[in-house]
Amino acid sequence: MKKNFFTLILAINVLLLCSCGQTAQEVQVSDGSMDIPEEQQSDYVVNIDDSFNTGLVIDDTKKTLSPEEADFRNLKWGMTKDEVSYAQGTGYREPSENKMYYTRLREEGFPADAEYTFKDGKLVQGIFFISQNKSDEPITVDDYMELVESLRSRFGEPGIANLVYSNPEDETEDKAIQLELVKAGKLQFRTGWLLDDTELRVVMFPENDGVSIGLQYKQAGVEIPVE
């Protein structure tokens, strides 16, 4: 994960807002034959090195909230770090005053690493990074679709769901070719919902020699602190 998330998340928010009138599964094609600009390729990438791995398995998660009360997982916007650690377990790392890192979580059934962001001591964002599927195999287009369908079954049709090709001539329904285009930075999958006071975004992006999925829950209308 190579780029700073906070600069890139501004790009996705602008793009999603500009596309809010589109229908689900609409294919959006950008002009030109150049690769997608580097700063737009990985909307959910964050600076995380090997120290992100806490080496601890989360086995003491507590169900402190009902599904109706929670904004995501068993968490609610405005929680303190102490409240999050009580709900999510103590196997986390604090790289800074405003961050908590968890590894070896399960999100929507997928193995994931998580980054929780706080502003003025209150929870405002949760991002999950998925680099393997439920069988611990590399991520595929079908895995992305499975994740989106899981979210759709709970939250309804997304406000935006599109594919962004850097070259219109690359447009295809072949999932194997689509995967290679994502790896090459020539295609992006994007899906997003606005849920009461929560913004939910899903993106598939290239990482190393494969792809990863970024799943972001963000408190609506809150500016995320940049570090």
Side-chain angles (χ1 to χ4, degrees), residues 2 42 130-131 138-140 179-185 204-213:
K2 303 171 185 176
S42 306
I130 302 169
S131 57
I139 290 294
T140 68
L179 187 66
E180 293 306 311
L181 290 171
V182 173
K183 291 180 181 179
M204 184 162 64
F205 59 87
E207 168 152 32
N208 300 325
D209 295 325
V211 302
S212 290
I213 296 173

Side-chain angles (χ1 to χ4, degrees), residues 47-218:
N47 276 329
I48 297 178
D49 56 24
D50 291 339
S51 61
F52 182 86
N53 193 338
T54 63
L56 299 173
V57 177
I58 308 308
D59 58 3
D60 56 349
T61 298
K62 300 176 178 64
K63 293 187 177 180
T64 56
L65 298 172
S66 69
E68 293 74 24
E69 293 174 305
D71 289 307
F72 70 105
R73 290 180 71 83
N74 59 338
L75 302 174
K76 193 170 184 63
W77 303 129
M79 278 184 164
T80 65
K81 280 187 175 182
D82 286 344
E83 289 171 325
V84 170
S85 67
Y86 179 82
Q88 294 285 277
T90 57
Y92 62 89
R93 176 177 171 268
E94 293 182 83
S96 70
E97 181 181 357
N98 296 321
K99 299 288 184 185
M100 294 175 72
Y101 288 168
Y102 281 89
T103 57
R104 307 181 187 183
L105 296 171
R106 285 275 167 178
E107 180 64 16
E108 299 295 326
F110 289 84
D113 296 334
E115 177 192 88
Y116 297 142
T117 301
F118 298 78
K119 182 176 183 180
D120 299 325
K122 305 296 184 182
L123 180 66
V124 293
Q125 181 173 258
I127 310 173
F128 300 89
F129 302 94
I130 302 169
S131 57
Q132 291 182 312
N133 64 19
K134 295 178 181 179
S135 300
D136 295 325
E137 299 292 335
I139 290 294
T140 68
V141 171
D142 283 337
D143 294 318
Y144 181 91
M145 296 303 183
E146 180 182 352
L147 174 60
V148 168
E149 184 56 36
S150 175
L151 296 169
R152 180 185 284 112
S153 69
R154 289 192 289 119
F155 301 127
E157 289 300 315
I160 180 172
N162 61 26
L163 309 181
V164 183
Y165 291 86
S166 62
N167 186 345
E169 295 181 0
D170 288 336
E171 186 177 337
T172 178
E173 295 184 3
D174 187 307
K175 294 178 181 177
I177 297 176
Q178 288 177 336
L179 187 66
E180 293 306 311
L181 290 171
V182 173
K183 291 180 181 179
K186 296 183 178 181
L187 170 62
Q188 291 183 14
F189 284 74
R190 295 173 174 167
T191 312
W193 290 259
L194 181 59
L195 311 167
D196 296 327
D197 60 348
T198 300
E199 297 173 15
L200 171 57
R201 308 284 186 246
V202 189
V203 170
M204 184 162 64
F205 59 87
E207 168 152 32
N208 300 325
D209 295 325
V211 302
S212 290
I213 296 173
L215 172 61
Q216 178 214 30
Y217 292 90
K218 173 182 173 293

